[in-house]
Amino acid sequence: MRRNSQMNEEETWHVRDLLTENKSAKNRSELGEKFIPKLLLFIALLSILTTILIVITLVTETIGFFSEVPLLEFFTGTVLKPLSQNPEFGILPLINGTIISSAIAMLVAGPIGIMTAIYLSEYATDRARRVLKPMLELLAGIPTIVYGFFAFTFVTPLLREFIPGLEATNILSPGIVMGIMIIPMIASLSEDAMSSVPNAMREGALALGATKLEVTFRVIIPAALSGIISSFVLGISRAIGETMIVTIASGSSKNFTFDITQSMQTMTAYIVEVSGGDAPAGSTIYYSLYAVAMTLFVFTLIMNIIARYISKRFKEEY
Amino acid sequence: MNMIVGKSKQEDQQMKNNAEIVFETKDLNLWYGNTHALKNINLPIYEKKVTAIIGPSGCGKSTYLKTLNRMVELVQGVKTSGEITYRNENILNRSFKVEELRTNVGMVFQKPNPFPKSIYENIAYGPKIHGIKNKKILDQIVEKSLRGAYIWDEVKDRLKENAYGLSGGQQQRLCIARCLAIEPDVILMDEPTSALDPKSTLKVEELIQELKKDYSIVIVTHNMQQAARISDHTAFMLNGELVEFSDTDTLFSTPMDRRTEDYITGRFS
Ligand SMILES: Nc1ncnc2c1ncn2[C@@H]1O[C@H](COP(=O)(O)OP(=O)(O)OP(=O)(O)O)[C@@H](O)[C@H]1O
Ligand SMILES: [Mg+2]
């Protein structure tokens, strides 16, 4: 320290002194040091508490519903007629609509998303990546109502040129558009997983005489598999929960059918329809809302559990 | 090395002339963008011999090595001039198929880089991409390669386990075994022991001695004792130039160039 001040004669202070001086000032903030973590904990608990309250409401109202409609009838019934004189509450048409629209969405988003990811991670030059990735993320930021409108006013009329039997509201068009909406998510997450595979792996394979395609499909994708699969699962749960697009473009027919040119209703669209109408509180139809929401919740919960399991199970270590 | 010890210079020269040349480098220049990384390199690599490349950090050793299997092309903006012939064909020709070259010229990297797969799959990867599907043949290749890299006894009971469960030294020998699985002609090694402890280093060095019976080996090393111990020929590089190339004993006992002498005696600055 002395040496220091000799070297630099104008220097009139010493770091050590400044540090001890500041120490006393530091004591004052000790309160914050103790108090702030408690505040943070409280706020964290608050959000957990909210979630728990939501689940409790769901469960109690659902129990109320099942006191009027038998559980078996609800889960095995293929007829959903909440507004009829003799209402019937079978959820299968809704589950069917949800699964079919999600399946169509994944058929679109899966291949396109993964091909985009492969291109971005393995083939694109740095410059191309710098331009394309933000554009992709922009696509993810479009409000779903815009996608819904796009499906109804553009995709459906376009599809009708090729599929004459297509109804004005149908499940195919919103399914496809939902897929388009999910592409950025799958592409971006899969790309992250693939580009985090170390370059040493690529070099190791190339040095064995592998072509770029062989490196991609036999080293990079297997190594990034956990990330890719979880991006798919997240995509699926996004599709299951998607509401606006199907509400706008798929109508509200509660048919139990596998014909994708027809209108179908998803669980989410049903909730919108019923809560938008004037179901009197306490009526069966009002309670059915909660039962459907509960089923939807279980669906997405299962997807999330699967995603977690998969990303652990297929975790490749490198 | 033992083969050369005790022989007169003349005999030695004789032998060199008779030995087959695998790689012949003629007036090789290489640029990374504007960095002139290799300058007029002329160098032969002899068949079934160990050629060591030594020199201070940044002199272009790795660059030269990676040019021999054209891995250097993975860097964007690399330009080359001159000629490298492998078995009398110019590999720098655009039309020369790199996959074919790399099938004949294997590489072992500084840091062990097994694939995140099982030990078995690591070895079987090369043969598989080259079209070998028969399970029995693959089993045999795996065993033979692992034995060839002297790691069979250590891993034979855990072939299905992930390669990343192995120690660093074992991983490096696994990478050598992976390289052997496609029975290349030449093996390039870039500081293969720099990440290993002395015991694993010794094992890899012994392995190299065994391998040169069947393979031509080019090894980059910072360890001059290692170069002296295991190589037959040594090339000394400095600032992208090849300063001196001769048989290892001569280079270390009576270097021709002052700069070589300075470097090997540690007087280099
Ligand atoms: N990818 C690259 N892009 C640009 N310049 C590079 C690249 N790789 C190497 N160089 C430059 O080329 C020269 C030679 O590098 P090289 O890696 O061949 O040295 P080296 O002899 O292997 O060094 P070391 O002993 O430290 O590994 C250095 O000046 C280095 O900065
Ligand atoms: Mg190097």
Side-chain angles (χ1 to χ4, degrees), chain B residues 32 37 56-63 75 191 222:
Chain B
Y32 287 113
S57 190
C59 69
K61 305 180 294 294
S62 300
T63 302
V75 179
E191 302 184 46
H222 269 147

Side-chain angles (χ1 to χ4, degrees), chain B residues 190-245:
Chain B
D190 194 350
E191 302 184 46
T193 61
S194 69
L196 306 185
D197 66 284
K199 214 170 144 208
S200 308
T201 300
L202 196 67
K203 281 199 168 163
V204 172
E205 284 186 13
E206 284 169 2
L207 172 57
I208 292 170
Q209 289 303 299
E210 280 301 312
L211 291 178
K212 79 171 199 193
K213 289 177 190 154
D214 300 309
Y215 302 93
S216 317
I217 294 171
V218 188
I219 178 170
V220 167
T221 176
H222 269 147
N223 181 332
M224 270 169 294
Q225 283 81 27
Q226 184 173 67
R229 272 196 302 270
I230 64 173
S231 72
D232 303 300
H233 303 284
T234 301
F236 171 60
M237 289 179 70
L238 188 62
N239 294 329
E241 287 172 55
L242 178 68
V243 173
E244 189 164 348
F245 174 76

Side-chain angles (χ1 to χ4, degrees), chain A residues 1-6 8 11-21:
Chain A
M1 218 168 29
R2 184 166 293 164
R3 218 186 317 131
N4 220 352
S5 52
Q6 276 170 357
N8 198 345
E11 195 177 289
T12 54
W13 43 267
H14 298 290
V15 172
R16 276 279 128 193
D17 298 342
L18 290 177
L19 288 183
T20 37
E21 246 171 61

Side-chain angles (χ1 to χ4, degrees), chain B:
Chain B
M1 198 171 86
N2 294 336
M3 291 168 69
I4 294 174
V5 168
K7 282 189 180 144
S8 74
K9 269 246 169 85
Q10 237 167 9
E11 270 176 311
D12 209 37
Q13 200 58 46
Q14 195 73 42
M15 214 186 64
K16 213 194 258 179
N17 290 340
N18 290 341
E20 185 87 27
I21 290 176
V22 188
F23 274 113
E24 181 77 85
T25 305
K26 292 173 199 148
D27 296 324
L28 175 70
N29 281 280
L30 183 141
W31 293 265
Y32 287 113
N34 293 324
T35 314
H36 197 174
L38 296 177
K39 299 165 190 161
N40 287 316
I41 308 279
N42 287 282
L43 182 66
I45 305 289
Y46 293 99
E47 187 174 45
K48 295 189 181 159
K49 293 276 183 292
V50 177
T51 305
I53 302 176
I54 60 169
S57 190
C59 69
K61 305 180 294 294
S62 300
T63 302
Y64 176 67
L65 201 68
K66 285 191 291 182
T67 316
L68 293 180
N69 66 348
R70 281 180 54 181
M71 288 290 279
V72 78
E73 282 172 17
L74 299 184
V75 179
Q76 279 175 20
V78 167
K79 288 189 303 269
T80 52
S81 75
E83 193 174 281
I84 299 179
T85 55
Y86 167 68
R87 305 270 180 205
N88 301 322
E89 269 187 88
N90 185 7
I91 61 164
L92 295 183
N93 242 333
R94 281 264 150 246
S95 58
F96 197 98
K97 280 201 69 179
V98 279
E99 286 83 21
E100 198 178 302
L101 175 68
R102 291 173 191 159
T103 310
N104 289 321
V105 183
M107 186 166 206
V108 176
F109 296 80
Q110 178 170 5
K111 221 174 129 247
N113 61 345
F115 302 129
K117 297 172 183 281
S118 69
I119 293 168
Y120 182 96
E121 285 300 326
N122 261 278
I123 309 297
Y125 179 84
K128 274 185 177 171
I129 58 168
H130 291 107
I132 299 177
K133 292 200 184 80
N134 186 317
K135 177 88 170 62
K136 270 215 192 93
I137 295 178
L138 285 174
D139 286 350
Q140 282 171 12
I141 291 176
V142 169
E143 177 168 349
K144 187 173 170 219
S145 312
L146 289 169
R147 280 189 191 281
Y150 291 94
I151 189 182
W152 172 252
D153 289 329
E154 289 157 74
V155 302
K156 63 170 187 279
D157 300 321
R158 46 197 287 206
L159 293 177
K160 296 280 169 245
E161 284 174 35
N162 194 300
Y164 279 78
L166 297 173
S167 76
Q170 289 172 328
Q171 285 182 21
Q172 192 62 299
R173 278 177 289 141
L174 181 75
C175 290
I176 294 175
R178 179 174 76 184
C179 188
L180 299 183
I182 54 172
E183 300 194 349
D185 180 20
V186 187
I187 302 177
L188 311 175
M189 300 184 169
D190 194 350
E191 302 184 46
T193 61
S194 69
L196 306 185
D197 66 284
K199 214 170 144 208
S200 308
T201 300
L202 196 67
K203 281 199 168 163
V204 172
E205 284 186 13
E206 284 169 2
L207 172 57
I208 292 170
Q209 289 303 299
E210 280 301 312
L211 291 178
K212 79 171 199 193
K213 289 177 190 154
D214 300 309
Y215 302 93
S216 317
I217 294 171
V218 188
I219 178 170
V220 167
T221 176
H222 269 147
N223 181 332
M224 270 169 294
Q225 283 81 27
Q226 184 173 67
R229 272 196 302 270
I230 64 173
S231 72
D232 303 300
H233 303 284
T234 301
F236 171 60
M237 289 179 70
L238 188 62
N239 294 329
E241 287 172 55
L242 178 68
V243 173
E244 189 164 348
F245 174 76
S246 62
D247 55 86
T248 301
D249 290 345
T250 314
L251 190 124
F252 281 99
S253 60
T254 49
M256 308 258 278
D257 198 291
R258 181 65 196 281
R259 292 168 293 175
T260 316
E261 193 180 345
D262 285 351
Y263 184 72
I264 60 176
T265 53
R267 262 178 288 150
F268 189 81
S269 59

